[in-house]
């Protein structure tokens, strides 16, 4: 029997995109230009092609200009760096993302860090991570931002809440912990070497899974009434599966995200939101 409220990420993402469509049109009317997102895809990785295609389509849907740069897998470093520098200097480009992974002769971290911090819509440069760590304004990574927006839409009070994040990647777990901390939760970040993960999870008023291990989090790890956010996207033969044993956890939790249809749809919507924010910040000086 399911006790938990289902947190509908698809509906929240659709609402966010609808609002962004209005805000992008207002930006264009006020400033006589549209925000623009440049994507850089090097090589022919099939998964990356799908992701970049989805990001460009999502831009078009809300009225953001798309600059879809595709380079051959053997493109030399100097040419990629040259293009990134051009995009950094181009006033029509508000945001830039370099789709990872990049081919072996290139260094993904180096290319990511070449992106100007004010155009870093993935929030993955050293400068953006530093701004987040210091509590300075800046562009934040999309997936943890999406989680914060889902919690807000659900009316979850983070101030003083005990939040537990499982995972400490630079992309998800670490910035997730920092965003929860900025929202005045008391945050614990767990990882593969954490002792007694189950006991720590049982303390959580808000539990965020950012692991990549299907069904790791058991029903009896959940505090009754807790809010459970499952960021896991594990591709199994049976389909897309989260990090949380959904059937068991939803009997105990107060609210829970499904997989698919929870955190996933928010990520691209937050990329669009970051692109508009980047455009606005440039004009605000
Ligand atoms: P990652 O870089 O592989 O990081 C996984 C983290 O989980 C690491 O910190 C690792 O600990 C920890 N971990 C692994 N096994 C564990 C265990 N048994 N117990 C406790 N902690 C464990 O992965 P990621 O990029 O952060 O992604 C995490 C999940 O989120 C994946 O399923 C990914 O597909 C999903 N994701 C979804 C979106 C989206 O758009 N919805 C975006 C990004 C990621 P160590 O640091 O000790 O190794």
């Amino acid at each position: 029997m399911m006790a938990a409220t289902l947190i509908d990420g698809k509906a929240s993402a659709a609402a966010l995109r609808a609002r962004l469509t209005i805000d992008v049109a207002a930006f264009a009317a006020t400033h006589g230009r549209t925000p623009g997102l440049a994507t850089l895809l090097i090589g022919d990785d099939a998964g990356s092609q799908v992701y970049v295609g989805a990001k460009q389509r999502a831009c078009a849907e809300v009225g953001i200009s798309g600059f879809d740069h595709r380079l051959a897998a053997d493109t030399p470093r100097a040419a990629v760096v040259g293009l990134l520098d051009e995009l950094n200097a181009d006033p029509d480009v508000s945001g830039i993302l370099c789709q990872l992974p990049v081919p072996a002769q290139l260094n993904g971290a180096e290319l990511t860090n070449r992106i100007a911090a004010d155009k870093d819509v993935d929030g993955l440069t050293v400068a953006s991570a530093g701004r987040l760590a210091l509590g300075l304004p800046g562009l934040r990574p999309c997936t943890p931002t999406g989680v914060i927006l889902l919690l807000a839409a659900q009316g979850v009070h983070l101030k003083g809440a005990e939040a537990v994040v499982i995972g400490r990647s630079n992309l998800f777990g670490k910035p997730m912990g920092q965003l929860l901390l900025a929202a005045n939760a008391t945050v614990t970040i767990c990882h593969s070497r954490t002792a007694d993960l189950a006991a720590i999870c049982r303390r959580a008023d808000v539990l965020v899974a950012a692991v990549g291990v299907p069904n790791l989090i058991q029903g009896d790890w959940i505090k009754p009434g807790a809010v459970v956010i499952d960021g896991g996207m594990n591709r199994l033969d049976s389909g897309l599966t989260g990090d949380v044993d959904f059937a068991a956890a939803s009997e105990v939790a107060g609210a829970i995200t499904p997989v698919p249809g929870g955190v996933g749809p928010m990520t691209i919507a937050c990329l669009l939101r970051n692109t508009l924010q980047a455009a606005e910040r440039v004009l605000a000086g």
Side-chain angles (χ1 to χ4, degrees), residues 156-181:
V156 176
H157 294 287
L158 291 173
K159 187 175 159 188
E162 182 122 22
V164 172
V165 178
I166 315 169
R168 57 174 165 180
S169 70
N170 292 330
L171 179 78
F172 193 173
K174 218 180 277 174
M176 186 74 253
Q178 287 169 321
L179 289 173
L180 289 163
L181 190 61

Side-chain angles (χ1 to χ4, degrees), residues 40-185:
L40 183 48
L41 173 57
I42 311 154
D44 43 21
D45 180 80
S48 294
Q49 286 177 355
V50 171
Y51 291 137
V52 167
K55 289 169 188 177
Q56 285 293 343
R57 264 197 314 283
C59 278
E61 276 168 27
V62 299
I64 290 176
S65 307
F67 305 94
D68 187 353
H69 293 275
R70 308 217 173 188
L71 303 181
D74 60 357
T75 305
R77 173 191 170 277
V80 184
V81 166
L83 175 57
L84 285 171
D85 289 349
E86 267 174 44
L87 296 172
N88 280 335
D90 185 342
D92 291 334
V93 173
S94 324
I96 305 168
L97 74 81
C98 179
Q99 186 69 39
L100 300 176
V102 295
Q105 87 277 11
L106 299 169
N107 177 336
E110 187 215 353
L111 296 176
T112 296
N113 274 311
R114 194 88 187 184
I115 296 169
D118 290 337
K119 296 191 176 189
D120 174 24
V121 283
D122 266 343
L124 296 179
T125 61
V126 171
S128 294
R131 288 175 178 184
L132 173 57
L134 296 183
L136 298 172
L139 294 161
R140 312 307 193 201
C142 299
T143 303
T145 298
V147 171
I148 292 288
L149 295 181
L150 278 182
L151 292 170
Q154 203 63 28
V156 176
H157 294 287
L158 291 173
K159 187 175 159 188
E162 182 122 22
V164 172
V165 178
I166 315 169
R168 57 174 165 180
S169 70
N170 292 330
L171 179 78
F172 193 173
K174 218 180 277 174
M176 186 74 253
Q178 287 169 321
L179 289 173
L180 289 163
L181 190 61
N184 294 315

